[in-house]
Amino acid sequence: MPPLPSFHWPGRSGEPRDPAKMPVHHGRIVDCAVYVEGVRLFEHSSYKNALAEVRERHEGFVWLGLLEPGKELMADIAQTFGLHELAVEDAVKAQQRPKLERYDDILFLVLRTVRYVEHELSTVSEIVDTGEIMVFAGPDFVISVRHGEHTELSGVRKDLEADPRQLALGPGAVLHAVADRVVDSYVEVTAAIEEDVDAIEEAVFTPANKLQIDAIYQLKREVVELRRAVKPLGMPLQVLTHDTTLPLPKEIRRYLRDVTDHHTAVTEQIIDFNESLSALINAALAKVSIQQNTDMRKISAYAAMAAVPTMIAGVYGMNFEHMPELSWTYGYPIVIAVMVGLCALLYANFHRNNWL
């Protein structure tokens, strides 16, 4: 690769800077850089100057990273890069379903991000935390907008900068890298949830285990939320992979096929989780029902044994003056012996029939 020409901003020196020493952007701008032939030109200023430099050179592209931008910032960015107002509104408000939209030669991709939250199996707590990433991909720029504290893109940028050949494919390479990172996070979260499902399954079918059924309902609710975040992305990925009219290099579409395959596998796994948890809920309810029936049989057995002495004591507690055996010396011990004997006989019978 021939050496890149020196990169000068108006009023700036042309010497490259250490990225760690670059000035911190104000507002919600995380990073802004110009890439030519896959190499980052560290000397940069605002996104307006960066875009002007790229269009003056007629090569390279600008990668602008944003974190939860406000309306004023996005309005200025939209005017600078020529973004459609509907897509800009979605980028500010967030809470969008995964989707892909095309505005002339600009692609707008929305992805839902997920993060697994550590928790105790027997407690009811949040398990899956969600966020969003929007990507605007134009001919000479790519803008990534992140909502949420997880799934940072600094690692994606660093990995791409370490692979100039991939980054030289243009904004489509960034779009692919972001989608790949998000889908990889899906794989990580589903692997963690799979362990939770296995643990709950073991707890449900372990005798004398006191697992709270609320924990199963909570995990099922979180799996449903995960499915809502993951499943809708399937259609946009299919379009990006197979629609040859989109402004994406052929090589990028090949990479996106791998992302689509991973996404399909994750979606199928989440559906399996949902079905497994539904079966576990039914099993847990059946287990509770069986336990309740067992308890009722025990209660009924003890009530039957208590009825015998109650009946005999009730007869001799009626206080009639003329009753058999009232004046008999051995009447009391014989009545007690009869009570104990009948109760013992009932206990043996109930125990033989597994009621006690």
Side-chain angles (χ1 to χ4, degrees):
M1 182 182 297
L4 293 173
S6 59
F7 190 73
H8 297 276
W9 291 106
R12 304 263 186 172
S13 63
E15 298 180 359
R17 291 185 180 180
D18 183 351
K21 297 180 180 180
M22 288 191 296
V24 178
H25 293 283
H26 297 287
R28 294 291 184 173
I29 298 178
V30 178
D31 198 355
C32 179
V34 172
Y35 297 89
V36 177
E37 296 184 1
V39 178
R40 174 172 179 154
L41 304 180
F42 293 108
E43 185 67 29
H44 62 83
S45 179
S46 68
Y47 51 84
K48 293 183 179 181
N49 293 338
L51 183 63
E53 179 70 19
V54 166
R55 290 179 175 174
E56 182 179 348
R57 288 172 172 269
H58 300 290
E59 61 177 349
F61 66 94
V62 179
W63 183 356
L64 174 62
L66 305 173
L67 173 62
E68 299 179 358
K71 292 183 179 180
E72 295 182 0
L73 178 59
M74 278 306 301
D76 186 63
I77 291 174
Q79 184 177 6
T80 302
F81 290 90
L83 307 179
H84 196 279
E85 59 180 0
L86 294 178
V88 172
E89 182 180 357
D90 290 343
V92 173
K93 291 184 178 180
Q95 302 301 321
Q96 304 294 319
R97 284 174 54 89
K99 61 181 179 179
L100 174 68
E101 296 178 349
R102 181 178 181 178
Y103 300 94
D104 297 328
D105 56 352
I106 299 176
L107 297 179
F108 177 59
L109 177 65
V110 178
L111 308 102
R112 294 291 299 275
T113 61
V114 296
R115 178 176 65 92
Y116 179 79
V117 180
E118 296 292 340
H119 64 284
E120 294 293 334
L121 179 63
S122 59
T123 61
V124 179
S125 61
E126 185 180 35
I127 301 173
V128 177
D129 183 24
T130 60
E132 289 183 49
I133 293 180
M134 291 88 163
V135 180
F136 296 88
D140 52 9
F141 66 87
V142 59
I143 302 172
S144 56
V145 182
R146 181 165 60 91
H147 290 266
E149 298 300 325
H150 58 279
T151 317
E152 295 184 1
L153 299 179
S154 57
V156 175
R157 188 186 289 262
K158 183 177 180 181
D159 292 342
L160 279 175
E161 289 176 354
D163 188 5
R165 183 175 179 181
Q166 178 75 5
L167 196 53
L169 294 174
V174 178
L175 186 145
H176 159 262
V178 172
D180 186 49
R181 176 65 186 90
V182 171
V183 173
D184 284 346
S185 70
Y186 295 165
V187 175
E188 296 171 1
V189 171
T190 52
I193 290 183
E194 183 177 15
E195 296 180 1
D196 286 343
V197 174
D198 292 341
I200 285 182
E201 184 176 7
E202 182 179 357
V204 168
F205 294 107
T206 298
N209 191 289
K210 301 299 182 181
L211 175 68
Q212 297 293 328
I213 196 171
D214 290 345
I216 307 179
Y217 279 113
Q218 173 68 10
L219 183 57
K220 182 174 175 64
R221 190 188 72 82
E222 295 296 314
V223 168
V224 170
E225 183 178 355
L226 178 63
R227 184 186 63 187
R228 291 174 179 172
V230 173
K231 188 176 180 181
L233 183 59
M235 184 58 69
L237 289 177
Q238 290 290 339
V239 174
L240 287 171
T241 303
H242 297 98
D243 191 347
T244 57
T245 64
L246 295 179
L248 287 175
K250 183 178 181 180
E251 191 69 17
I252 294 299
R253 289 201 300 273
R254 290 176 178 172
Y255 286 118
L256 285 169
R257 291 194 191 103
D258 183 65
V259 178
T260 303
D261 291 341
H262 290 170
H263 178 270
T264 301
V266 169
T267 302
E268 292 175 353
Q269 193 172 13
I270 293 174
I271 294 175
D272 290 340
F273 290 160
N274 192 41
E275 294 176 352
S276 297
L277 288 172
S278 296
L280 288 175
I281 289 175
N282 293 332
L285 291 175
K287 185 178 180 181
V288 171
S289 178
I290 292 173
Q291 184 62 44
Q292 288 177 343
N293 290 336
T294 302
D295 294 340
M296 286 301 299
R297 285 191 300 179
K298 290 182 179 180
I299 294 172
S300 299
Y302 285 117
M305 288 189 294
V308 173
T310 301
M311 180 187 67
I312 297 175
V315 170
Y316 283 93
M318 290 187 291
N319 297 321
F320 289 109
E321 182 177 353
H322 301 286
M323 291 184 66
E325 293 87 25
L326 283 180
S327 58
W328 188 28
T329 303
Y330 300 101
Y332 174 75
I334 288 177
V335 169
I336 295 298
V338 170
M339 289 182 181
V340 173
L342 290 176
C343 289
L345 181 63
L346 288 173
Y347 179 85
N349 186 53
F350 288 139
H351 186 72
R352 185 172 60 252
N353 290 280
N354 295 321
W355 278 49
L356 292 174

